[in-house]
Amino acid sequence: MSMVRMDIESIVVGNGPATSLITLRPRHNSSSYAQTQLPIRIGMTEASAIGMGVDNVPHQRPLTHDLLKAVITQLGATVTSVTISKVEGPTFFASVHLLTANKERKAIDCRPSDAVALAVRTKAPIFVESEVLMTASYPDFKAVKKDEQDKELAEFHSFIEGLSPEDFS
């Protein structure tokens, strides 16, 4: 199995009965998953926490993920990455990967929303297991549409380039 580097595509903060979610997309277009998106349902509070981390919104007092970042830093550890490694039904499984002051590598089980909230605060990369993408992703319809338009434009350009004045007589 292989890991795919991901970026946050969007964050939706739902209210009331509307669900909140984050959507991840592969960072590199060369990936075989380049035109996929991975939606993950999360709580409203978690979606807000991720959004505040992305926007680097300052607070008078540290929020939970800011506290966790501070504890990790004070202990001399660093967040090296976060991974989403498994999905069962609607439930995703994630880990935060640390490098301790003693150069030990540790993986801490957590919710994907907590992993992503910590990743945006520590600038750690987000990875998703390729099997998770095969199971739970959907096509990025905007990218598919753009590719089709680009293909049609290239075919039209090729047609125009191949015209000669005799074609109009």
Side-chain angles (χ1 to χ4, degrees), residues 57-76:
V57 175
H59 292 277
Q60 289 181 324
R61 303 292 299 143
L63 298 176
T64 304
H65 299 98
D66 300 314
L67 170 65
L68 182 56
K69 175 187 172 190
V71 168
I72 291 168
T73 302
Q74 287 296 315
L75 292 174

Side-chain angles (χ1 to χ4, degrees), residues 2-17:
S2 65
M3 294 287 199
V4 178
R5 175 96 185 251
M6 304 292 278
D7 290 316
I8 297 172
E9 172 77 19
S10 61
I11 305 165
V12 177
V13 181
N15 195 2

Side-chain angles (χ1 to χ4, degrees), residues 77-81 96-108:
T78 56
V79 177
T80 58
S81 67
V96 172
H97 299 270
L98 303 174
L99 181 62
T100 70
N102 299 334
K103 304 298 181 206
E104 294 178 71
R105 296 195 177 277
K106 302 284 183 180
I108 312 298

Side-chain angles (χ1 to χ4, degrees), residues 98-153:
L98 303 174
L99 181 62
T100 70
N102 299 334
K103 304 298 181 206
E104 294 178 71
R105 296 195 177 277
K106 302 284 183 180
I108 312 298
D109 183 39
C110 64
R111 300 179 303 174
S113 57
D114 293 327
V116 171
L118 188 56
V120 297
R121 284 165 173 77
T122 60
K123 309 291 188 253
I126 301 166
F127 292 97
V128 174
E129 189 70 54
S130 59
E131 191 169 300
V132 171
L133 287 174
M134 287 189 298
T135 303
S137 66
Y138 64 90
D140 178 355
F141 294 108
K142 290 179 195 171
V144 171
K145 182 178 179 182
K146 183 182 179 325
D147 282 354
E148 285 300 314
Q149 289 172 337
D150 290 348
K151 183 179 173 186
E152 289 175 10
L153 187 59

